[in-house]
Amino acid sequence: MKVALPTAQSVAEAAQLLRDGKLVAFPTETVYGLGGDATNERAVAAIFEAKGRPEFNPLISHVLDAAAAQKLVRWNETADRLAARFWPGPLTLVLPRSPGSPISLLATAGLDTVAIRAPSHPVAQALIRATDRPIAAPSANRSGAISPTRAEHVVESLGERVPLILDGGPCLVGVESTVLDLSTATPTLLRPGGATREAIEAVIGPIAVSDALPSGDSARKSPGQLESHYAPARPVRLGASSVGADEGLLAFGPTVPPGAMLTYNLSPSGDLAEAAANLFAQMRLLDRPGIGRIAVMPIPETGLGLAINDRLRRAAAGDGTGRRG
């Protein structure tokens, strides 16, 4: 395992590894991704193996732009409007795969839809351009665990399972991309994320929100739909207005209850963008021996708060071992 700053040489090395069917971790504006050639079934299988990820949980394929996406999926006018507004950026679109699409069937969990996005991080763009093929990339961590927003988080979670990690510094958005299903009659929000529902609806009008999750081992249309996900090893208690002496506190806003063993504040000023960027890193800092439980103060359910609360609820649904329940 090698950690390298993103130079022309290291990006070229990473691209060659990807073309050879190997894995590379790289930064995006949302979280660090564990990348493999999305057209190579063996490379995609290696992603599932490295993460310990259920094979009914699909992967997002990363491309440079809408023109590249149109070679892989059946594009439509709604996708065109959304891409013009949000790409490159933290919005994933789920669309029917096009005839002859080279995207691995394993990457799509065997479904006839493809989850696809164009990341805005310059390192991610340089890597996609140098590789010259779509890159399948879930978050670069063991399945169900806290997502990585720094290169050192990838090292902690995956270690030798990934040959090369491109260290592009901390991720600016800090929560995964929003996933919007455009294969349904009404566009449907499958996962809240870095692009807010309000901003999406300002472009295309009202969208539906998917509350029902597939049961058992049936295939999901989107990553992030497991009931327990993003889970630390410590149990998580939500809506905390007070805190116990054995708890670590994930605070939000200027008024913080006293008494916690350790406190980190997502945003002392109550800024949701700052809170999203700090979420996974601060959860990791509280997920340490000696802390009995992580208490989390209430977060508003507006804007990026929708994505933050989604991740926190799934973290709280874990079994306290960092595993999927």
Side-chain angles (χ1 to χ4, degrees), residues 28-32 88-91 117 120-121 148-149 169-178 192-196 271-280 304 307-308 311:
T28 76
E29 71 279 16
T30 57
V31 300
Y32 273 72
L91 177 65
R117 87 173 181 102
S120 65
H121 197 292
T149 54
C171 300
L172 293 179
V173 175
V175 292
E176 291 82 358
S177 63
T178 301
T196 67
D271 180 86
L272 288 171
E274 182 184 18
N278 287 331
L279 176 63
F280 291 134
L304 281 172
I308 294 169
R311 304 311 189 271

Side-chain angles (χ1 to χ4, degrees), residues 37-63:
D37 178 357
T39 69
N40 182 328
E41 292 281 0
R42 286 194 174 188
V44 172
I47 295 174
F48 283 95
E49 182 179 12
K51 284 179 62 70
R53 183 184 180 95
E55 292 185 0
F56 53 77
N57 199 9
L59 307 179
I60 294 169
S61 292
H62 295 69
V63 296

Side-chain angles (χ1 to χ4, degrees), residues 1-2 23 50 154-165:
M1 182 263 298
K2 173 183 174 183
L23 304 184
V154 182
V155 175
E156 292 167 6
S157 192
L158 293 178
E160 298 298 330
R161 295 182 180 91
V162 53
L164 176 61
I165 301 168

Side-chain angles (χ1 to χ4, degrees), residues 215-260:
S215 61
D217 290 352
S218 58
R220 276 71 174 162
K221 274 192 169 182
S222 162
Q225 288 192 293
L226 300 177
E227 180 182 0
S228 172
H229 208 47
Y230 319 107
R234 261 88 242 152
V236 175
R237 178 172 70 89
L238 304 179
S241 57
S242 61
V243 62
D246 67 335
E247 290 184 317
L249 178 64
L250 195 61
F252 178 78
T255 305
V256 178

Side-chain angles (χ1 to χ4, degrees), residues 199-219:
I200 292 169
E201 291 186 329
V203 175
I204 62 171
I207 61 175
V209 177
S210 175
D211 293 322
L213 299 181
S215 61
D217 290 352
S218 58

Side-chain angles (χ1 to χ4, degrees), residues 63-114:
V63 296
L64 272 181
D65 51 28
Q70 290 170 36
K71 300 174 183 176
L72 308 172
V73 296
R74 283 160 47 198
W75 201 248
N76 59 36
E77 188 267 342
T78 302
D80 225 25
R81 291 161 60 193
L82 289 167
R85 167 63 179 82
F86 294 102
W87 281 13
L91 177 65
T92 293
L93 302 177
V94 175
L95 289 151
R97 66 185 300 140
S98 59
S101 173
I103 296 294
S104 156
L105 286 173
L106 182 57
T108 65
L111 298 173
D112 60 0
T113 52
V114 176

